[in-house]
């Protein structure tokens, strides 16, 4: 894991990955770098060094990177076979092609699909609304839901009357980074809600001075939804679990092997 700077959220995410890796018996090395001491060229060189290291099966560049660094140039240096985050253009492109499988699906969308499968949520023929069109969550998830037979609407910052789209959805996935943007009364009774958002809001009653909420008004939403993910503790752990699964798959591939984990993920993607 390449971690640049001292952002509290990034540091927290990396600690979660370290702890989960240790629990699974996966060696996790973290390259911690000061933000003011790195350049695009120095990070590219580091990624190239890790890419050439046969003892490294997966490379994660923790985002966001500092503003003075060209994040695309750095992330694009991660070789596809070690891109366990699933951020490479090849992975996203192949997600869009039915009948083709990406080297690694983006972790959060793959984790969402695994969660829905675990609760036996039937996607075929259902109306799904994805709020957010980021390259690492919204866009690939919309493509993956389409592959699974859902009829998908993607709402974003230019969408008019988001509420009207949400009201008819059998599945709502919120990934826009706006605290409690989706109101409970918008939801179709019995729908399924997946809240990808994690937002810190001020709360003087908490020791740390804030609390974490999702993009959905949870208390009101759970009165209408048949299933809803909490924040924290919902999608986040699924993302980390998928990431570790990808590391195992990458390690097996490096030895010319295919694991049941890879077969399971291929079935999940469809």
């Amino acid at each position: 894991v390449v971690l640049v700077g001292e952002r509290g959220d990034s540091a927290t995410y990396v600690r979660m990955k370290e702890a989960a890796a240790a629990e699974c018996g996966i060696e996790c090395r973290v390259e911690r770098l000061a933000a003011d001491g790195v350049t695009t060229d120095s990070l590219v060189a580091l990624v190239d060094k890790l890419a050439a290291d046969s003892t490294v099966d997966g490379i994660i560049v923790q985002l966001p990177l500092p503003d003075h660094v060209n994040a695309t140039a750095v992330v694009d240096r991660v070789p596809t076979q070690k891109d366990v985050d699933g951020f490479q253009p090849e992975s996203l492109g192949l997600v869009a092609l039915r009948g083709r499988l990406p080297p690694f699906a983006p972790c959060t969308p793959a984790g969402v699909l695994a969660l829905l499968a675990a609760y036996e949520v039937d996607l075929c023929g259902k109306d799904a609304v994805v709020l957010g069109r980021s390259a690492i969550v919204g866009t690939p998830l919309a493509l993956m839901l389409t592959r699974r037979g859902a009829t998908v609407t993607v709402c974003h910052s230019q969408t008019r009357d988001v509420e009207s789209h949400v009201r008819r959805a059998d599945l709502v996935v919120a990934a826009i980074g706006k605290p409690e943007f989706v109101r409970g009364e918008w939801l179709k009774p019995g729908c399924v809600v997946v809240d990808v958002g994690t937002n810190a809001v001020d709360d003087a009653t908490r020791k740390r001075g804030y609390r974490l909420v999702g993009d959905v008004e949870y208390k009101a939403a759970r009165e209408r939804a048949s299933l809803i993910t909490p924040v924290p503790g919902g999608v986040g752990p699924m993302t980390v679990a998928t990431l570790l699964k990808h590391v195992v798959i990458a390690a097996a591939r490096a030895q010319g092997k295919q694991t049941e984990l890879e077969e399971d993920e291929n079935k999940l993607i469809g």
Side-chain angles (χ1 to χ4, degrees):
V1 181
V2 177
L3 175 62
V4 180
E6 298 182 356
R7 282 180 58 112
D9 53 352
S10 292
T12 297
Y13 297 148
V14 169
R15 284 196 298 272
M16 289 172 57
K17 293 169 185 175
E18 286 183 287
E23 186 176 348
C24 295
I26 296 173
E27 180 184 355
C28 179
R29 290 166 22 200
V30 182
E31 299 280 351
R32 291 181 168 85
L33 307 169
D36 57 2
V38 301
T39 64
T40 299
D41 288 344
S42 67
L43 284 178
V44 165
L46 174 58
V47 171
D48 286 346
K49 177 182 176 182
L50 296 172
D53 188 341
S54 62
T55 68
V56 175
D57 295 304
I59 300 171
I60 302 162
V61 178
Q62 185 65 44
L63 300 176
L65 292 173
D67 291 340
H68 68 277
V69 173
N70 184 334
T72 300
V74 175
V75 172
D76 281 355
R77 298 295 289 198
V78 177
T80 301
Q81 68 270 23
K82 296 188 179 185
D83 174 37
V84 290
D85 265 327
F87 287 171
Q88 290 302 313
E90 179 182 355
S91 293
L92 183 56
L94 289 174
V95 163
L97 300 177
R98 290 193 65 190
R100 302 285 297 275
L101 293 168
F104 295 103
C107 286
T108 297
V112 169
L113 284 188
L115 190 62
L116 294 173
Y119 283 89
E120 300 181 342
V121 176
D122 182 16
L123 297 171
C124 191
K126 299 300 175 62
D127 287 322
V129 169
V130 177
L131 282 77
R133 55 178 172 177
S134 74
I136 61 177
V137 180
T139 295
L141 180 54
L143 293 170
M144 292 163 77
L145 290 170
T146 300
R147 288 179 70 133
R148 295 298 304 275
T151 300
V152 182
T153 299
V154 178
C155 296
H156 47 77
S157 59
Q158 305 303 310
T159 301
R160 298 178 181 177
D161 194 10
V162 172
E163 178 183 344
S164 67
H165 294 286
V166 173
R167 282 188 178 278
R168 60 178 172 74
D170 301 303
L171 170 66
V172 178
V173 182
I176 53 175
K178 292 186 177 181
E180 300 182 327
F181 175 82
V182 178
R183 313 308 294 175
E185 64 266 22
W186 295 2
L187 299 173
K188 177 180 179 180
C191 72
V192 174
V193 178
V194 178
D195 195 344
V196 182
T198 303
N199 311 283
V201 297
D202 293 338
D203 187 341
T205 67
R206 302 296 178 94
K207 183 177 180 181
R208 55 191 176 184
Y210 67 90
R211 58 188 170 88
L212 297 178
V213 300
D215 291 344
V216 179
E217 184 188 23
Y218 181 78
K219 288 184 179 180
R222 70 180 180 183
E223 298 299 323
R224 298 176 72 90
S226 60
L227 293 169
I228 183 171
T229 59
V231 176
V235 174
M238 294 302 301
T239 299
V240 174
T242 303
L243 178 64
L244 297 180
K245 177 173 67 174
H246 287 174
V247 173
V248 174
I249 291 171
R253 286 177 181 169
Q255 300 176 35
K257 302 176 182 178
Q258 185 180 43
T259 67
E260 290 184 7
L261 290 175
E262 183 169 0
E263 295 173 1
D264 290 344
E265 176 146 315
N266 290 345
K267 292 177 183 177
L268 190 68
I269 296 170

